[in-house]
Amino acid sequence: ITPDELDEAIADYNQSIRLEPDFAEAYGNRGFVRYQIGDKLGGLRDLNKAAQIFADRGNLEGYQQTVSYIQAIRQSP
């Protein structure tokens, strides 16, 4: 994946979130991309937002999976 493709992915997720502000999956995916490009804090912020939306919806599986990603990123260098 090239840097341009990552930037394009972020732009796509931004658009998705503008259209549907509670789109947990878009926040989660944007969080992964941000982490991949070196924006660890931005990635964690997005993943935390995704986890909150999943929790608010009662989506326990989505919440637990997102929390496990957050923990893995926090433990990474």
Side-chain angles (χ1 to χ4, degrees), residues 3-45:
D4 286 342
E5 290 171 327
L6 294 173
D7 289 341
E8 187 175 319
I10 289 175
D12 289 345
Y13 293 128
N14 289 342
Q15 178 66 15
S16 295
I17 291 166
R18 274 193 292 278
L19 295 172
E20 188 179 338
D22 289 334
F23 192 0
E25 292 84 353
Y27 279 103
N29 291 336
R30 187 176 71 178
F32 282 122
V33 175
R34 283 183 164 175
Y35 174 68
Q36 287 180 324
I37 64 171
D39 182 7
K40 185 175 181 177
L41 291 178
L44 287 170
R45 196 169 31 249

Side-chain angles (χ1 to χ4, degrees), residues 30-70:
R30 187 176 71 178
F32 282 122
V33 175
R34 283 183 164 175
Y35 174 68
Q36 287 180 324
I37 64 171
D39 182 7
K40 185 175 181 177
L41 291 178
L44 287 170
R45 196 169 31 249
D46 279 347
L47 286 163
N48 279 311
K49 177 71 173 178
Q52 183 62 53
I53 294 168
F54 282 129
D56 290 347
R57 289 185 185 163
N59 182 336
L60 184 59
E61 183 180 341
Y63 173 79
Q64 290 175 331
Q65 186 176 19
T66 304
V67 168
S68 71
Y69 295 142
I70 291 167

